Amino acid sequence: MPNESAVPQPEPKQDEKAPDSKSAAPDAKGRPTAEQRFVQRQIVQPLIQWMPLGGSGWLFGGFLLKQEWTQAVVTAGVTLVTAVWGIYSKNFIEQLSEIYADRAKKDASALVAWLDALNETLKWQLSDFEAQYLKRQAQDCQQDIPVGLDRGERSMLFRPELEKVFVPLNLTPVYRVTGDRPERWLRDSGDRAPGKGEIWDLLKRVDRGAANRHLALRALGGSGKTTLLKHVAYVYGKGTYRQKGAPKLIPFLLFLKDCRRELTKENPPNLPDLLTHYHLPGLPGGKALNPPPSWAANLLNQGTALVMFDGFDEVPAGDRPVVSQWLSDQMRQYPDAVFIITSRPRAYTEDFRDKPETYVVEELEPDQQQLFIHRWYLSRYSQGDRPTRDQRLFAERDADRLWKAITARPEDLGRLPRNPLMLNMICRFHSIKQSAELPSRRSQLYREICEIQLGWRPQARNIELLLESIDQRREVLQRVAMEMMLRATADARESAHKQIEKDDLLGIMQAAFTERNFDVNAADFLAQMVDVSELLVKHDEVYEFAHLGFQEFLAASELVRRRDESLIVDRLGLETWKPTLLLYAELLKHPLSFMELTAQQAPQLFAESLLLIDRQRLSAAELAALERLKPAATHARYAKLEALMIAGNWDEADNETYRLMIATVGKEVGDWFTSEELLNFPCEELLAIDRLWVKHSQGQFGFSVQKEIYIACGAKLDGEYPGDRIWEDFCTRVGWRKNNDWKSRAALTMNSRFSPKGELPVLELVFEFPILAVHGLGSSLLSHRGL
């Protein structure tokens, strides 16, 4: 086809030209025509606006400007897709920009906050706050050297620094039954007491799980629980914990008797607030410390806090459920923190809700006693960190003398040296009266210490105490102790007799001065008893005796002085009065009246008092009268046990047997027997209990029945653990094992007709497992010569 554009065309007339024909093509200067400007303004510019990323849009626009319609149509589809993508991508980018702009703001704010926190952390690190806190916590746990002590002088003006005399205490685990194999460890380990060790052995394991991070230590009074916690706080405070192989922890030592008011408020503080606003200001110089923000909470959450609560038993009985719940809540809230709680057995057993992993603080063994004596004397002679050769020689000489005196008559001293508090008092007595015979009774030891504190101590400091004689000073304190003890009634709060307000105390003292015509100011006398004798201690405006044992002894002494037993008739069955009444029985020269009173009304107290009275001071007639009281007292004492057996309630009969026996060895419900205690258990008591078991079970139950089976299994009666084979054979025969598996106590039959012979008693503890089976202590009891 010929090219039409090459054929000459007639030039149109002026009036036949299309409107604005001059604008259809650029003019000579290259400016767009009117049509081009119309397309550009109305079509191309909007397309370009809506398709900023589309190359096809530019192409399409170019074709329109050139009026190349075919190419424009071809590119229209591509242009449409590109337009849609442009709309999508524009909104996408705008939204993305908004999101990242917001996130950038947050990240920037977080960075600024982190930098502020880092700056705050660096500020606190540079301020050395943690080191200052640890220093003050350590100071709070270190005994001060008394004023006026001349080195080498034999006087009572000496309180050794804790770390110089501290002896590691043995801790034995208490296992709760949680399944049907409570004694599985007996087969899996040759060690009959796994987990036994000292406190640092336990702290080494705190990183192995929550169970190891929550601990409870149970023991009777004077067993060293508080001293043990002070030792831990001191070692961590001084930074020497690495020598023990323990992990780094920040210690907090709180005394529940002091802070329980905080915990029993309507809105009690949480643990971080208690540590920050109560514990820290109470330390020496603690008020001057300014802790970092969230300091305590961070330590608790990070698991680097060691929180020790001493003396759950010191909390009044009515407050214990609330305090127990608070402690449990804090342990749940901060499961990674390390908690240690101490208590006497009865209070912990009855009132504590969520019991942590529990350990018993054992009495001092002979090697521990000897070590303590040597450290005590070395500390006494040497006030510095490096004792001289002469100081060591003097210390060894006196320590050896005391140790020989203790080992020469162990039957007379009994359990006294095994109790850390009593052993400390023995050392104090011996350091002053080395030529005197050691007191063989608690009452004698308390008397000697009171005389030292009220006489020797002020004399060594050249201080003249008010009142002329030691007896007069002691009498005033006896009256105070007695008035405080009288407040311990069945309805009173348990702590009602332990502390006394200042005005109340001054009133009692002034009444004593007036009655005896002593011209003495009560406030001045009280100040001397606190500052010089240290038999009384002060907490704010509240006072208490330095140890409850002193209060109980002085109250017992006042009972002897007054000779009025009507004061105790209504208190014979109170646990809070029991230590005082036992000391009273020791002090009496003629105890027959008291023994007649207890024989019928308090047979358990009668039995325990019978072991304490000094028979050498009694006449033949008095001894005969005591013997006549024993049958009636024994019958009354075991009346409840026998009634349970007659009713066929063998489960409770086993519990009652444990309660009777643990009281006989001078311990509380919830405490443990030792092998020695069972091997040497009073024969008459053991036989009386055994006869009831054998009689009312028709020969099916009883210790003597178990002993016959024990011998038949091949055991020797030497008090030693017979080995797993013999012991497991015995336990299988009496029904404590079945199919090579251990039973829980709940799985025992406990029926005199259907039980295996010898199944009972098992001496059930409150932790629901048979103590005889667990510890092999049965080998000690079944070897008893009286059975």
Side-chain angles (χ1 to χ4, degrees):
M1 179 179 293
N3 188 353
E4 294 180 357
S5 61
V7 178
Q9 298 293 330
E11 182 177 344
K13 297 180 180 179
Q14 185 70 26
D15 57 353
E16 292 177 355
K17 294 180 181 177
D20 298 321
S21 57
K22 294 181 180 179
S23 64
D27 60 14
K29 296 183 179 180
R31 291 177 293 192
T33 63
E35 292 86 348
Q36 290 173 327
R37 289 195 299 271
F38 173 81
V39 172
Q40 180 177 348
R41 287 194 306 268
Q42 301 300 321
I43 299 176
V44 176
Q45 286 183 356
L47 284 174
I48 294 173
Q49 179 182 356
W50 286 97
M51 295 180 290
L53 300 179
S56 61
W58 289 100
L59 185 62
F60 178 66
F63 288 140
L64 288 178
L65 287 173
K66 298 178 181 179
Q67 299 182 3
E68 296 176 355
W69 309 114
T70 302
Q71 289 85 343
V73 171
V74 172
T75 58
V78 178
T79 303
L80 180 62
V81 173
T82 305
V84 173
W85 169 252
I87 296 171
Y88 170 81
S89 60
K90 178 177 181 294
N91 287 297
F92 178 83
I93 292 173
E94 290 177 352
Q95 185 66 23
L96 192 65
S97 299
E98 291 179 6
I99 292 174
Y100 272 93
D102 184 58
R103 182 171 297 180
K105 292 178 181 179
K106 292 181 179 179
D107 290 344
S109 299
L111 178 61
V112 172
W114 179 80
L115 290 173
D116 289 342
L118 179 62
N119 181 53
E120 193 73 12
T121 301
L122 291 174
K123 183 182 77 173
W124 290 113
Q125 287 181 348
L126 292 174
S127 70
D128 205 22
F129 169 80
E130 184 175 296
Q132 291 299 317
Y133 166 75
L134 292 173
K135 177 182 178 181
R136 283 157 175 74
Q137 178 65 89
Q139 287 176 341
D140 196 45
C141 298
Q142 180 181 16
Q143 295 184 357
D144 297 325
I145 301 173
V147 188
L149 174 63
D150 294 328
R151 296 188 181 185
E153 177 186 356
R154 286 192 175 92
S155 74
M156 274 299 296
L157 297 181
F158 163 62
R159 288 181 301 174
E161 295 180 18
L162 183 145
E163 285 307 294
K164 290 185 177 181
V165 297
F166 179 78
V167 173
L169 300 175
N170 291 329
L171 307 176
T172 299
V174 176
Y175 294 99
R176 295 183 71 185
V177 172
T178 55
D180 59 354
R181 303 181 71 178
E183 288 83 56
R184 180 177 180 181
W185 58 267
L186 279 173
R187 295 194 309 276
D188 296 341
S189 173
D191 183 2
R192 300 199 349 247
K196 182 174 181 178
E198 59 171 296
I199 188 65
W200 297 107
D201 296 320
L202 305 186
L203 291 174
K204 290 175 186 176
R205 302 201 301 265
V206 296
D207 58 345
R208 300 182 186 175
N212 292 318
R213 302 181 78 85
H214 298 168
L215 309 171
L217 308 180
R218 300 184 325 169
L220 297 177
S223 59
K225 302 184 297 295
T226 301
T227 302
L228 180 61
L229 295 192
K230 284 186 174 182
H231 162 72
V232 172
Y234 181 82
V235 169
Y236 270 113
K238 300 297 287 186
T240 56
Y241 61 91
R242 294 182 183 86
Q243 299 173 13
K244 309 290 185 180
K248 180 181 179 180
L249 298 170
I250 305 299
F252 301 89
L253 176 55
L254 298 96
F255 300 95
L256 284 171
K257 69 176 181 179
D258 297 330
C259 67
R260 55 99 179 170
R261 290 184 177 86
E262 298 291 320
L263 308 186
T264 53
K265 290 180 178 178
E266 185 175 352
N267 295 307
N270 57 28
L271 184 52
D273 287 343
L274 184 73
L275 298 179
T276 304
H277 304 301
Y278 174 83
H279 173 66
L280 182 61
L283 296 176
K287 292 181 179 179
L289 294 180
N290 184 20
S294 303
W295 167 64
N298 290 338
L299 292 175
L300 291 165
N301 287 317
Q302 293 165 7
T304 55
L306 169 58
V307 189
M308 297 174 283
F309 289 100
D310 182 56
F312 180 73
D313 57 288
E314 293 291 329
V315 176
D319 291 338
R320 285 181 195 158
V322 176
V323 173
S324 171
Q325 184 61 57
W326 185 90
L327 291 170
S328 298
D329 290 343
Q330 305 311 308
M331 287 189 285
R332 294 193 199 105
Q333 181 70 28
Y334 304 103
D336 294 329
V338 182
F339 289 85
I340 302 179
I341 299 167
T342 69
S343 176
R344 294 192 182 195
R346 180 184 294 276
Y348 176 78
T349 300
E350 293 177 351
D351 295 300
F352 206 84
R353 300 194 177 201
D354 294 347
K355 295 180 175 62
E357 185 177 356
T358 307
Y359 289 80
V360 172
V361 181
E362 300 288 355
E363 294 180 318
L364 296 178
E365 297 294 336
D367 59 333
Q368 294 171 303
Q369 299 170 30
Q370 188 175 17
L371 179 61
F372 176 83
I373 293 170
H374 277 81
R375 288 183 174 179
W376 193 91
Y377 264 111
L378 183 61
S379 180
R380 175 186 174 278
Y381 277 107
S382 170
Q383 296 304 306
D385 293 332
R386 295 183 178 180
T388 66
R389 180 176 178 276
D390 287 344
Q391 289 172 340
R392 289 186 177 277
L393 290 175
F394 282 129
E396 290 177 6
R397 179 199 62 189
D398 290 351
D400 288 341
R401 286 176 180 173
L402 176 54
W403 182 241
K404 288 178 181 178
I406 290 175
T407 54
R409 41 192 286 247
E411 67 284 349
D412 294 335
L413 291 174
R415 302 169 61 94
L416 290 181
R418 304 193 66 173
N419 181 284
L421 174 65
M422 294 292 107
L423 184 58
N424 196 317
M425 291 172 63
I426 289 174
C427 290
R428 290 174 177 269
F429 170 81
H430 184 261
S431 68
I432 292 177
K433 301 183 177 181
Q434 290 196 16
S435 61
E437 185 177 2
L438 290 180
S440 61
R441 299 175 178 274
R442 282 191 312 152
S443 58
Q444 294 175 355
L445 185 56
Y446 278 122
R447 180 189 294 277
E448 294 287 354
I449 294 299
C450 285
E451 289 187 2
I452 289 170
Q453 299 296 98
L454 293 171
W456 285 75
R457 183 181 181 87
Q459 184 179 358
R461 294 179 64 181
N462 294 318
I463 296 175
E464 184 177 348
L465 290 184
L466 299 172
L467 300 181
E468 294 181 0
S469 68
I470 294 175
D471 290 341
Q472 291 174 342
R473 298 162 194 156
R474 186 174 62 239
E475 182 182 329
V476 175
L477 293 181
Q478 287 177 189
R479 290 173 178 243
V480 171
M482 186 64 183
E483 291 301 319
M484 292 174 68
M485 284 303 306
L486 288 174
R487 300 176 185 188
T489 63
D491 299 328
R493 298 167 76 95
E494 187 165 328
S495 65
H497 68 292
K498 296 179 182 179
Q499 296 182 333
I500 185 169
E501 300 287 340
K502 181 178 181 179
D503 291 343
D504 198 1
L505 176 57
L506 291 175
I508 296 172
M509 288 181 170
Q510 195 61 58
F513 297 149
T514 302
E515 182 181 331
R516 296 294 302 273
N517 294 319
F518 293 147
D519 185 16
V520 175
N521 181 275
D524 293 339
F525 182 80
L526 174 58
Q528 286 189 337
M529 292 301 98
V530 173
D531 298 335
V532 182
S533 78
E534 295 187 345
L535 287 174
L536 286 171
V537 294
K538 178 183 177 183
H539 302 286
D540 296 327
E541 293 302 306
V542 176
Y543 292 77
E544 62 183 331
F545 281 90
H547 191 276
L548 185 59
F550 287 113
Q551 177 181 330
E552 292 163 344
F553 164 75
L554 290 167
S557 300
E558 182 66 9
L559 277 175
V560 174
R561 189 189 72 83
R562 294 188 187 187
R563 300 179 182 178
D564 184 5
E565 290 183 349
S566 64
L567 292 170
I568 62 176
V569 171
D570 296 332
R571 297 173 173 85
L572 291 174
L574 294 180
E575 284 294 323
T576 50
W577 267 81
K578 183 178 176 181
T580 299
L581 296 178
L582 291 176
L583 285 165
Y584 175 64
E586 279 191 31
L587 291 169
L588 286 171
K589 293 182 179 179
H590 304 286
L592 188 57
S593 173
F594 175 72
M595 298 303 287
E596 289 173 342
L597 180 65
T598 59
Q600 289 294 331
Q601 298 190 37
Q604 179 64 41
L605 184 61
F606 173 89
E608 295 181 53
S609 299
L610 198 61
L611 300 173
L612 297 173
I613 59 177
D614 188 354
R615 292 173 175 267
Q616 295 180 353
R617 296 187 304 194
L618 304 182
S619 65
E622 288 175 319
L623 289 172
L626 280 179
E627 290 300 316
R628 290 193 296 270
L629 290 174
K630 287 171 66 174
T634 301
H635 177 74
R637 185 186 179 203
Y638 298 127
K640 180 180 179 180
L641 176 62
E642 189 166 19
L644 291 169
M645 292 177 173
I646 292 173
N649 191 346
W650 299 105
D651 185 7
E652 270 305 307
D654 185 53
N655 293 338
E656 179 66 12
T657 299
Y658 162 72
R659 285 191 285 266
L660 290 168
M661 293 181 66
I662 203 68
T664 299
V665 299
K667 292 184 175 180
E668 297 179 358
V669 170
D671 212 337
W672 291 74
F673 295 102
T674 65
S675 296
E676 180 182 351
E677 289 166 347
L678 293 178
L679 188 61
N680 299 313
F681 196 85
C683 291
E684 293 184 10
E685 302 288 328
L686 187 62
L687 288 174
I689 293 172
D690 182 61
R691 280 193 292 266
L692 290 176
W693 278 99
V694 174
K695 173 185 175 181
H696 293 290
S697 68
Q698 289 77 47
Q700 202 59 13
F701 300 145
F703 294 126
S704 58
V705 175
Q706 292 173 341
K707 182 174 182 177
E708 292 178 1
I709 300 172
Y710 186 61
I711 295 172
C713 292
K716 298 179 181 179
L717 302 182
D718 55 4
E720 300 294 329
Y721 182 67
D724 288 351
R725 184 188 62 79
I726 291 177
W727 184 250
E728 291 178 1
D729 184 20
F730 166 75
C731 293
T732 299
R733 294 194 191 191
V734 299
W736 297 347
R737 282 169 55 89
K738 185 176 182 181
N739 299 327
N740 295 323
D741 202 1
W742 294 93
K743 290 183 179 180
S744 66
R745 184 176 186 272
L748 299 181
T749 306
M750 295 191 181
N751 186 296
S752 60
R753 294 181 58 190
F754 303 111
S755 289
K757 195 169 185 177
E759 184 185 56
L760 294 174
V762 293
L763 297 189
E764 164 63 356
L765 278 177
V766 291
F767 287 93
E768 299 181 351
F769 63 90
I771 187 172
L772 295 182
V774 171
H775 273 279
L777 293 178
S779 57
S780 298
L781 183 59
L782 299 179
S783 298
H784 197 289
R785 60 186 180 277
L787 290 176

